[in-house]
Amino acid sequence: MSQPFRLASGGRIDRTRPLSVTFNGKRLEGFAGDTIASMLIASGQHLAGRSFKYHRPRGILSHGSDEPSALLSVDWRADRGPGRRDPNNRASVVEARDGLVVDTQNHWPSLETDIGAVNDLLSPVFVAGFYYKTFMWPRKFWDKVYEPVIRRAAGLGEAPKVPDADRYSNRHAHCDVLVVGAGPAGLAAALAASADGTRRVILADEGCEPGGALLNDVTSSVGGTPAMEWVAESLATLDARENVVVLPRTTVFGYYNHNHVCMVERVSDHIADAPEGMARERLWQVRAGEVVLATGSHERPLVFENNDRPGIMLAESVRSFVNRWAALPGNDLVVATSSASAYRTALDAKAAGMKVSIVDIRLETDCGPEFAAAREAGIEVRTGHTVIRALGKKRVSGLVVAKIGSGGGIGEKTTLTCDCVAMSGGWTPSVHLFSQSRGKLAFDPELDAFLPGTSVQAERSAGACRGVYDLAAVVADGAKAGGGSAAPEATASFTGFQPVRVLPTDADASRVKAFVDFQNDVTAKDIKLAVREGFESIEHVKRYTTTGMATDQGKTSNMNALGLVAGILDRPLPAVGTTTFRPPYTPVTFGALIGPARDELFDPVRKTPIDGWAAKNGAVFEPVALWRRARYFPKAGEDMAAAVARETRAVRTNVGIFDASTLGKIEVVGPDAAEFMNRIYTNAWLKLKTGGCRYGLMLREDGFVYDDGVVARLAEDRFHVTTTTGGAPRVLRHMEDYLQTEWPDLDVFLTSITEQWAVIALQGPKARQVLEPFVSEIDLSEAAFPHMTVKTGYVCGVPCRLFRVSFTGELGFEVNVPADYGEAVWKTLYEEGQKHGITPYGTEAMHVLRAEVGYIVVGQETDGTVTPDDLGLSGLVSKVKPDFVGKRSLARPDMVAADRRQLVGLLTRNPGEVLDEGAQVVDDPSQPIPMKMVGHVTSSYASSNCGRSIAMAMIDGGRERIGETVFVTTPAGFTEATISNAVFYEVKGETADA
Amino acid sequence: MLLIDCPYCGKRPEVEFHCGGEAHIARPESPIEMADADWGSFLYYRTNPKGLHAERWLHGHGCGRWFNALRDTVSDAFVATYEMGKPRPEVSPATAKA
Ligand SMILES: [Zn+2]
């Protein structure tokens, strides 16, 4: 396509740098500085999409990020393979460059011929609330019929189907002043704020080029020079200041607590030959001392029949295409307006060579100096006129207008032939970010707008976003917001407008499609229907009609919708209120939000020092808290059951080696360490001798089991505490809490040493034989080194804390060596162990082995409602200590009730059947539903050593019920089991007897 | 994200902290002598004010220390932070608003 509507000169495009993109499979030409929208307009094409519900042809409404209609699917780097396409890009903000492949959306088979347009004729089906009315029933139709049909017929773009191939980065920044928006107010604010070189200033603007509305302006001046020269000078000044960062292409999309502001910078989409691996977008998280919001305003469309025809645009957007992009949106322009600002469009369009006339809803007496200016330029102005309807289908071909009589009646109609309409219903300040900051809005009836009222955070608004529209006033307002006192002089603007919700017409309102929300296909009729059906709250109207939703979040439509509702209800507008503004301001890619946190960086894996050995030796891993742990080590042809059976047998017959490095470890040190332990744990610690170990049980203050683990006393003032793998951080926090806030008088220090020590467990009758050759300065004999003691010395020449402990019931040692030596010591022991039949085992075998001998796992047998006595561990609770954390709660009546759930064993009638963990237990499976649940299964395994399945369960009054029969839920129904003691295996030979 | 002024480290983002509930509730000296109802109140009953609330905060991903804070539960403004053991500061309504 050539560029018949491109002007020979002017505009902010570089005619020496031509480029082309692929648009719906065809070549579309333009220049550096173009957007897809300006290229389409220069080529004479307005049809740029099909609408959401009715598939009506839609054109380009706006020149900015508020564009509701011209939405494109863009493949940003088709030449680099899949995964670089995303939907719903607004044609007005996609910067053109060679290589882009763009397609319009929501049509089939083509943009020109769209079968879905039949919906326009079926529109009674798609009235307000159609989601709720049409697709309610029959319910089973939803999945197969309604949803697929809606998805295809009514929708926005198509979501990408392959993973995003691009890279995204993120950055944190701090500044004294963050200025949002680089229009006249924002530039003036940034200049003033950065004059003091010690203040760090960030100026962020969503456009590719700073300047805001001045980019559209070829007639105004600031500081005695043309406006854009002032912009260039201002940018040069800011650039020269080392305390300023100017970020174009950076959209501030979220304003959160305590001036935490999030923005996304489009880093490389506009660069044709961006190096491979360069980030596509960057998420900025800024903590600002102060924020200056200079976010401008949005123009309101006029609501009249067929106001959505391609070629009908916002007035300021017409001006923008003419002046900034030197692209005429047509030859014959009608400016339909209730706002003075649109006269500037008329004047500039005429100067650029378009045929122009003006239809003004206002009476001549309500107009300002703009009226005379238009007359002087020879433009025909019809004041006191309304627009009845637009003509044409895929492109506007005319406008039917009529004089409004003194009584409000419609006078004689005239048809104005045109191929472009510039409409303006006035302006809506962009208060999105102010409102996100939780500032309170205040309605200004003079300006017919919600303005920033009371601030909650350290921010100020300046310029059009607080209803200041005159350029001279905007510049002064910006300078003041930036802390400056003086501001450059500037040209006055045409300001003022007469709010109008729906243009007066004599057409049958029930047959007219006059769009309020272009993106969601919501008409004035829909909103009237919603109110008539009783939806009076604006939040309800929004959800019922969908007005103000989707990618544009109603930037152009909100005030018209609000005004309409207020008008129908005959209430003042502030009484109707406004919907809540929520982040993001414009759509943000998931890629930008996620940044580098994907794939292997999504949730970094915590590995033990022995992980590498386990991986090399075929371990199957499982996640445990943040760790990855070896679950089992299958040999060729083994499934998990077979591997676990072999591993558990090996521990009871020979010896197993197990990586226990993930155990939480805390060192409790200080003169009062024993006293501290005494208060935190249920057991008594003062009399534990140096070199002794004890199984410790820890409660919360409410008396429920919180954690457990073996504790060794290394010295009079030093304890080596172990915790559950998942419990380590919270146990340390729990200890610190009491130490710092309740007992600051205790002289104790707590240190996490989990990562400092690798822990290698040797378990089984031959454990001592494996270890013996490598130990120095430790006597391993039973007499010298009994069960539940600890010694320090050397293993393989490495300093070691050696524990004689067991979590299997067998003879056991836990070798603690500095983490860096963990793998080397493991390998040495493993190699030596070959002659003793050593077998590496994983967490699954560890669980089976401990269950066989009835050891609990906190978090498996316990769930935060279990007392020591429930577990049969009341022997670990000191009766002598006057106090410890949780003691008082254990005496509460409910905590000593006889029918509490207690830990027991369950043996299935069929020894091969393994119960489901979490399965419910009932006494009588034939009782009516809902049944009385008397307990649940907490652990369940196939035990090779027991020759049958074993299970642990919490059962109401369970210890009194041993030998009784109960029924346990299964996926198929119920199965029978007998309540037993929770110890299933008797260890032969040298036992641990913990 | 809130910005919290640790009395030991200065202002740090909320993700470094952990809230520990209402402040100034001392663990009783002799729990064993307390009636069930009194112990129950100590364990489970907390105020839930609209406005200023004294809370315990832990700078877990920082200095590791517990401190107290006065936070406005309506605006999320942190009006004061202070060391454990210090009394709740007197805050005038005017300061509380800022
Ligand atoms: Zn700190």
Side-chain angles (χ1 to χ4, degrees), chain A residues 873-885:
Chain A
L873 298 178
S874 49
L876 296 173
V877 179
S878 165
K879 312 257 182 315
V880 187
K881 289 198 285 183
D883 192 18
F884 57 81
V885 173

Side-chain angles (χ1 to χ4, degrees), chain A residues 423-543:
Chain A
M423 61 177 168
S424 179
W427 294 87
T428 305
S430 174
V431 295
H432 300 68
L433 293 175
F434 171 80
S435 187
Q436 284 184 26
S437 82
R438 301 209 276 188
K440 283 205 175 54
L441 296 170
F443 186 73
D444 185 324
E446 286 295 305
L447 294 171
D448 187 52
F450 286 97
L451 302 181
T454 316
S455 289
V456 169
Q457 303 198 36
E459 52 69 41
R460 296 182 290 287
S461 295
C465 69
R466 67 178 201 98
V468 176
Y469 297 124
D470 173 64
L471 179 58
V474 165
V475 173
D477 203 38
K480 189 172 155 222
S485 48
E489 300 276 313
T491 324
S493 321
F494 296 148
T495 60
F497 66 93
Q498 183 178 307
V500 54
R501 310 306 174 198
V502 181
L503 294 191
T505 179
D506 58 355
D508 176 356
S510 69
R511 300 184 160 276
V512 164
K513 280 205 189 77
F515 287 88
V516 173
D517 185 319
F518 291 74
Q519 190 162 88
N520 284 290
D521 264 356
V522 179
T523 62
K525 187 172 61 180
D526 292 327
I527 290 179
K528 284 180 193 158
L529 179 64
V531 177
R532 206 166 64 225
E533 291 183 355
F535 293 91
E536 298 192 356
S537 150
I538 192 65
E539 294 282 4
H540 291 162
V541 172
K542 173 177 171 175
R543 280 154 187 78

Side-chain angles (χ1 to χ4, degrees), chain A residues 287 701 737 740 888-889, chain B residues 1 27 36 39 56 66:
Chain A
R287 188 74 73 166
E701 199 68 275
D737 190 349
Q740 291 183 32
R888 175 64 184 86
S889 293
Chain B
M1 195 188 298
R27 190 171 186 273
D36 281 334
W39 182 250
R56 296 154 16 96
W66 284 91

Side-chain angles (χ1 to χ4, degrees), chain A residues 576-589:
Chain A
V576 176
T578 182
T579 54
T580 311
F581 295 93
R582 292 192 178 89
Y585 176 70
T586 53
V588 178
T589 62

Side-chain angles (χ1 to χ4, degrees), chain A residues 443 445 448 450 501 562-563 565-577:
Chain A
F443 186 73
D448 187 52
F450 286 97
R501 310 306 174 198
L562 270 177
V565 173
I568 300 164
L569 294 171
D570 196 22
R571 286 183 198 156
L573 210 143
V576 176

